[in-house]
Amino acid sequence: MKKLQKKQASLRRRHTRVRGKVFGTSARPRLCVTRSNSNVYVQIVDDVDRKTLCAVSTLGPDFKATGKSGANVEGAGVLGEIIGKKAIEAGITEVVFDRGGHLYHGRVKALAEAAREAGLKF
């Protein structure tokens, strides 16, 4: 169990370090990514007003309609396209990327690249 606790503590420490540098405003909100072994959750947050402007996850109906899995890179790419389209519809074009303490690799990278292709700038 100590290995799991050490891993979780390291993730919390990395996330705290990232959040110290990344802050979302109303002009440029924060694109926050949370990842588990089987799902990915994405929110666009305005930290000044403390409001979530839009959110999507692999458990939502938009993603479920695609028939993809949230546990792989391909599913994360589809989720990135969905959040990009929702953000553009909400009038958001520029965001600050918050990787949530995870490495910019695999599902997090695929999501970010797909969101950029959908029209978000970061």
Side-chain angles (χ1 to χ4, degrees):
M1 195 64 174
K2 285 193 168 208
K3 185 176 181 181
L4 178 63
Q5 290 170 341
K6 184 177 178 182
K7 189 175 180 181
Q8 290 172 340
S10 297
L11 179 66
R12 269 195 308 272
R13 190 172 54 250
R14 285 191 308 268
H15 191 156
T16 303
R17 187 171 48 226
V18 169
R19 285 290 289 123
K21 300 172 186 175
V22 176
F23 189 78
T25 62
S26 58
R28 196 166 178 202
R30 176 171 53 99
L31 178 72
C32 178
V33 178
T34 305
R35 177 181 67 77
S36 70
N37 287 339
S38 55
N39 292 299
V40 180
Y41 310 89
V42 185
Q43 296 179 337
I44 296 182
V45 180
D46 180 1
D47 290 322
V48 175
D49 294 335
R50 295 182 179 181
K51 291 188 178 179
T52 300
L53 305 175
C54 63
V56 68
S57 75
T58 54
L59 298 174
D62 296 336
F63 183 79
K64 292 242 181 194
T66 64
K68 304 286 184 185
S69 171
N72 58 24
V73 173
E74 185 180 347
V78 172
L79 192 67
E81 291 175 16
I82 294 171
I83 193 69
K85 289 176 186 174
K86 279 194 170 191
I88 298 297
E89 289 174 6
I92 302 166
T93 56
E94 287 191 29
V95 295
V96 179
F97 189 67
D98 176 12
R99 58 189 173 86
H102 299 287
L103 293 176
Y104 187 78
H105 176 76
R107 288 185 285 165
V108 175
K109 182 178 178 181
L111 188 140
E113 289 176 353
R116 280 190 187 107
E117 289 176 10
L120 284 179
K121 295 178 184 173
F122 57 93

